[in-house]
Amino acid sequence: MKLAELVKHYRAKLNILPDAVLIGEIPDGIDEIPDELKKFLVLEHQDFLKICNGGAFGDIVLWSTDEILDNQFRVPSIFKDEVYEIGQVLYEPVFIDRISKQIRFEVDIEIICPFDHFITNYIFGDNYSNIFTNAAQDDMWFDFVERNKPLE
């Protein structure tokens, strides 16, 4: 399933739930990336923001286009030209490398993976449960994703 279809699928499932706000938020995408962000963001991230402009996916939060520039204070100064922060997991920063397009973050273990893999397998997939201890036991987002997997 393509990324846009996957996001649309879970957005539709989430929006019909009465307790959706407790589970997550999958906003619509932005029509146009602001000029100041076109040079700042990698293309894969820009493409995702056109599908889903940030959001809250359980304990994963991705910054919207309005939030990205204001949330770069945790990027070490020596890496400012190489990486930027796209969001956070349990208040720990999630970085993307501008050259390799790899996502990097650490909660219980360090995770490094391609951007699209992070979206499809950690946000909307089974790897969410590997991010931190006990994610599969009592996490509303993990339960939501498991109960609403698209039919392939």
Side-chain angles (χ1 to χ4, degrees):
M1 182 176 272
K2 292 184 179 180
L3 185 57
E5 294 168 347
L6 188 65
V7 171
K8 184 178 178 181
H9 167 80
Y10 282 111
R11 182 184 294 129
K13 296 289 187 182
L14 184 63
N15 286 344
I16 61 172
L17 297 177
D19 59 348
V21 69
L22 301 174
I23 298 170
E25 177 191 10
I26 308 173
D28 291 331
I30 190 167
D31 292 329
E32 186 69 31
I33 301 294
D35 287 338
E36 63 186 335
L37 291 178
K38 284 182 181 176
K39 294 178 183 173
F40 188 78
L41 306 175
V42 299
L43 188 56
E44 291 84 349
H45 190 195
Q46 290 182 43
D47 291 343
F48 178 74
L49 292 167
K50 291 177 183 176
I51 298 167
C52 181
N53 189 14
F57 314 91
D59 289 312
I60 301 173
V61 176
L62 297 181
W63 308 132
S64 71
T65 53
D66 292 334
E67 300 167 318
I68 290 170
L69 293 177
D70 291 336
N71 283 293
Q72 298 307 308
F73 56 90
R74 295 189 283 189
V75 178
S77 59
I78 60 170
F79 297 119
K80 289 270 187 207
D81 293 335
E82 299 167 25
V83 302
Y84 65 92
E85 184 175 325
I86 66 165
Q88 61 186 14
V89 177
L90 292 172
Y91 304 105
E92 293 296 327
V94 177
F95 299 114
I96 187 167
D97 184 290
R98 286 188 166 94
I99 304 299
S100 69
K101 318 296 193 289
Q102 297 282 309
I103 295 292
R104 177 180 291 231
F105 65 96
E106 184 172 349
V107 178
D108 287 348
I109 60 167
E110 182 177 44
I111 295 173
I112 302 170
C113 64
F115 181 82
D116 287 348
H117 181 84
F118 173 68
I119 302 298
T120 58
N121 293 292
Y122 285 93
I123 289 181
F124 296 114
D126 292 335
N127 285 347
Y128 182 92
S129 66
N130 299 329
I131 295 173
F132 55 92
T133 307
N134 298 327
Q137 278 96 17
D138 59 357
D139 190 280
M140 292 175 75
W141 178 259
F142 182 76
D143 185 55
F144 164 74
V145 169
E146 286 295 301
R147 290 177 189 251
N148 293 284
K149 285 185 178 179
L151 302 174
E152 306 244 354

